[in-house]
Every structure is written in structure tokens, then in C-alpha cells.
Amino acid sequence: MSDTPPPAPVEIKHRFPCASCGADYRYDPGGDRLICDHCGDVAGIETGGPWQGGIRELDFAAALRDQLPAQEMEETRVTTCTSCGAQVELGTDTHATECPFCASPVVTDTGTHRHIKPRALLPFSLDEEQARKAMTDWLGRLWFAPNGLQNYARKGRKMQGIYVPYWTFDADTKSQYRGERGTVYYETRTVTRNGKRQQIQVAKVRWRAVSGRVARFFDDVLVLASTALPKRYTDALEPWDLSALVPYAPEYLAGFRAEGYSVDLEQGFAQARDKMDAIIARDVRFDIGGDRQRIHDIDTEVRDTTFKHILLPVWLAAYRFRGRTYRFVVNARTGRVLGERPWSAWKIAVAVVIGAAVAGGIGYLVALEQGGF
């Protein structure tokens, strides 16, 4: 093996000048094409659409040894938000901006982030107008949200289209377990209730030691590789249509931002193992059978682990309203919306008054009926 280090990956610039006027193309959500907003010129993307050959996985063990091929690595210019920790990829001409995740002002630095290159992504399907409608419809269903926030959101600034980083893991697992199978049976007992003797059935469990093996192949265990958004938001945006993944091409990022991963590969696999272990435990309980199960020990062998770094699309809105920041996330494939729920004090007060009035009216009618009036 040569001691000569591989050449350093070059910085990737996601800029695509229009062939007609020189302005920047942007990716057209749902259109699988690039479009120039200045002159209307359109260009195709050769790699568009699901790749029939599948997305090639990378070897997990090789990545931990830092032995991935040089072409699987890249360097991008990023800035780290001091408020939420997001690492957002930026263009070379951007020096000051606002964090799309929490609306805090940030000043860019000159640092670069050397990371594993994305293998695949899900392109945006919803454009900004569709995402904004989904968000305002969701806000409109929150009766206790302040009207001012709803109006501000409808007329607010542009939403941010962001590709959020994820890991997916494949692994072949074989597990040996020890436990107990419980069989429910009933005993008849005589008890005294209200001065009367009665016979009742009391459930008992008879336990028997068992052991066995289960096996499962895990495909595309999905793990969020970002800490910028609350996990409860991103988890609730699932499921993602991972069967529609396309091979990574920078054209899909034209006009959008991409966040660099802040959860490294080893941390991501630890989270994936938690998910796998929960499913393996469920398999073990099914294999034990019976009416009840106890698991004493599970020893799992994990083999042939592979992974992908992928990007999934979301529309973000971060609004500062009356001194507070409210964040909303829209799944850019399905339109599902999650966000921080604001409350309107006067709406809650009105609801309490109405509720008390209704309860009082019902109580009055009941009293009239009982009094014979």
C-alpha cells in the first residue's frame, strides 16, 4: 500500500449558469429540470428519475478506518449557527446571512467541512408556493394560534428550501437469545364480598426457560444526521419514499441549500442499532411465543454493514414574532407540516369563558328538570 496520501477533494460549487443569458439556473421542483428565472430557459438533468440499477452502498468498516476512496469525499464551505448548531452549506459569495433553521443572524467564516459525499437524494416535489399553502392551511387549523402570526406567516419572507442530511444503514443480523415463555392458567378461589362467599378465577402464569435464534436483514434504516431541528419534527415527517431516491447530482441543489451532517457516521450507526435492537427484541418475543414473554439476554452478530449519506428535502420557515422564533417544517415531497405551536392568550380566555357558560347553562337546565319546573 502506498504511503502517498490521496489528493485532497476540491470544493464543489453548486452554480449552473444559464446557457442563454448567463444568470443562474435553479432546480424546478416536480419538473426534473433546471429553469432560469431571468429568461425562462430550461435545461434537463441527465440523471433525473429513479436509477434502475439501485444506489450503491458504501462499506461501513472501511469508512470507520478512513479508507473510503477519495472520490467519495468532498469539501464544502459551511457556516455553523451559534444558536442552533446547524451547519449550512453556502456559496462562495455569501458572507452574512440568516440561519434558515432558527432565524438567527450569522456571519460566515472561511472554514470548510470535509465530509462523505452524498450518494443519493430525494428531489423537491413541492415548490415554495405549495409549501407555503400547506403551512398556512396547517396554521389555520390551530384555533389557539395568534392571528398576528398567521397573517405574518402568510405575508412573510421567503421560505428556505433545504436538503437535510440523513444516514441509511443496511446490515445482516443473527441473534441468539435466552428467556422465558409464560403460559396463563387460572385458579379458582373462594372470597367473601358483601357478606357473601363467591368463587372467582385468578390468573396465574407458568414460566418455562427457552432459548433460540432469530435473523433479520435490515434495509435502509434511516437516521437523521442533523441536530439543527428537533428530532420530534423530523421523525413526524416520515415516511419518506426512499424507493424514489436518485443518484446524487449537484444540479438538484441549484437554488437550494444543503446542510452538512453534524451527526457523524459512528454516532449515526449507534442510533441505527437502537432501532435495530428494538425490532430484534420484537422478533424474539414473537419467537418465544406463549401468552407472556421474558427476555433475559440477546446476543446479536451484525455483519456486512453498509451505508449511504443521503439528502432529503424540506421547506423551512423561521419567523420572529413578538420577540419569539417560531419554526415550521414542510416535507417537500408530501406536504406534511410540523411546527412549534404558538398560543393566543385571549383565544384561550374566550374558550374558557364559553366553556364555563355552556357548563353553567347545562347545570341550570338540569336543576330545572330535577326541580320539576
Side-chain angles (χ1 to χ4, degrees):
M1 180 181 297
S2 172
D3 293 332
T4 304
V10 299
E11 180 181 350
I12 305 299
K13 299 180 177 66
H14 305 301
R15 183 178 183 274
F16 300 92
C18 173
S20 297
C21 70
D24 285 344
Y25 281 122
R26 65 169 176 84
Y27 176 69
D28 181 24
D32 203 29
R33 62 180 185 173
L34 298 175
I35 188 169
C36 176
D37 290 329
H38 183 71
C39 71
D41 190 61
V42 172
I45 301 177
E46 294 183 2
T47 56
W51 189 29
Q52 297 302 318
I55 310 296
R56 187 170 68 87
E57 304 277 334
L58 297 176
D59 184 79
F60 176 68
L64 292 185
R65 296 191 299 267
D66 199 21
Q67 293 179 347
L68 289 179
Q71 64 267 24
E72 301 298 342
M73 308 297 293
E74 69 175 356
E75 286 188 1
T76 53
R77 182 169 174 261
V78 298
T79 188
T80 301
C81 175
T82 57
S83 295
C84 70
Q87 292 192 346
V88 181
E89 182 179 335
L90 299 168
T92 57
D93 298 329
T94 303
H95 301 288
T97 185
E98 185 178 83
C99 176
F101 294 94
C102 67
S104 298
V106 293
V107 177
T108 65
D109 52 36
T110 57
T112 59
H113 180 211
R114 184 176 185 271
H115 60 176
I116 299 170
K117 188 183 299 184
R119 295 293 298 166
L121 57 79
L122 282 178
F124 277 75
S125 290
L126 303 182
D127 60 24
E128 183 184 358
E129 182 179 351
Q130 292 169 317
R132 184 178 296 279
K133 183 179 185 306
M135 184 188 69
T136 53
D137 287 349
W138 180 80
L139 277 172
R141 293 193 294 270
L142 301 180
W143 195 84
F144 290 114
N147 291 333
L149 178 64
Q150 297 180 25
N151 295 332
Y152 185 75
R154 291 189 183 98
K155 301 174 182 179
R157 295 161 297 176
K158 288 175 63 67
M159 299 181 72
Q160 299 286 342
I162 301 282
Y163 281 100
V164 178
Y166 281 78
W167 301 111
T168 72
F169 294 94
D170 293 2
D172 193 20
T173 66
K174 292 181 174 59
S175 304
Q176 297 184 3
Y177 68 84
R178 294 184 303 105
E180 294 179 86
R181 176 190 295 125
T183 302
V184 176
Y185 65 97
Y186 294 88
E187 290 183 350
T188 301
R189 290 185 181 178
T190 301
V191 298
T192 301
R193 292 177 177 172
N194 299 324
K196 297 181 180 180
R197 295 173 62 83
Q198 298 178 351
Q199 289 187 333
I200 61 172
Q201 298 291 312
V202 179
K204 296 284 187 176
V205 180
R206 183 179 294 110
W207 294 100
R208 179 169 67 88
V210 295
S211 62
R213 298 181 179 183
V214 295
R216 177 180 284 269
F217 177 76
F218 289 92
D219 181 40
D220 282 346
V221 178
L222 189 65
V223 175
L224 175 67
S226 166
T227 56
L229 288 172
K231 196 170 182 297
R232 66 183 184 275
Y233 289 4
T234 52
D235 286 351
L237 293 180
E238 297 181 15
W240 294 91
D241 50 336
L242 297 184
S243 61
L245 283 168
V246 301
Y248 172 81
E251 287 86 349
Y252 289 109
L253 274 62
F256 295 94
R257 290 180 176 178
E259 185 193 2
Y261 58 80
S262 52
V263 175
D264 66 28
L265 184 63
E266 194 167 5
Q267 293 171 325
F269 184 66
Q271 295 183 33
R273 274 301 306 266
D274 289 341
K275 292 186 175 184
M276 294 179 190
D277 289 345
I279 294 174
I280 290 171
R282 186 188 65 188
D283 291 347
V284 167
R285 292 185 182 278
F286 182 81
D287 197 63
I288 290 175
D291 301 311
R292 303 282 192 276
Q293 302 85 33
R294 289 174 176 167
I295 300 174
H296 298 318
D297 179 65
I298 300 177
D299 183 16
T300 299
E301 177 187 9
V302 182
R303 304 178 57 186
D304 302 326
T305 304
T306 58
F307 74 95
K308 297 188 300 291
H309 172 207
I310 66 172
L311 302 176
L312 301 182
V314 300
W315 284 102
L316 293 178
Y319 295 106
R320 297 191 68 85
F321 179 72
R322 294 180 181 174
R324 290 191 58 187
T325 298
Y326 298 96
R327 293 178 294 180
F328 307 96
V329 187
V330 181
N331 183 320
R333 301 283 294 186
T334 65
R336 181 170 174 78
V337 181
L338 270 298
E340 293 172 323
R341 182 188 179 96
W343 300 91
S344 169
W346 75 266
K347 286 185 178 181
I348 295 174
V350 169
V352 170
V353 170
I354 293 175
V358 170
I362 292 174
Y364 178 71
L365 292 176
V366 170
L368 287 177
E369 183 176 346
Q370 291 178 345
F373 294 103

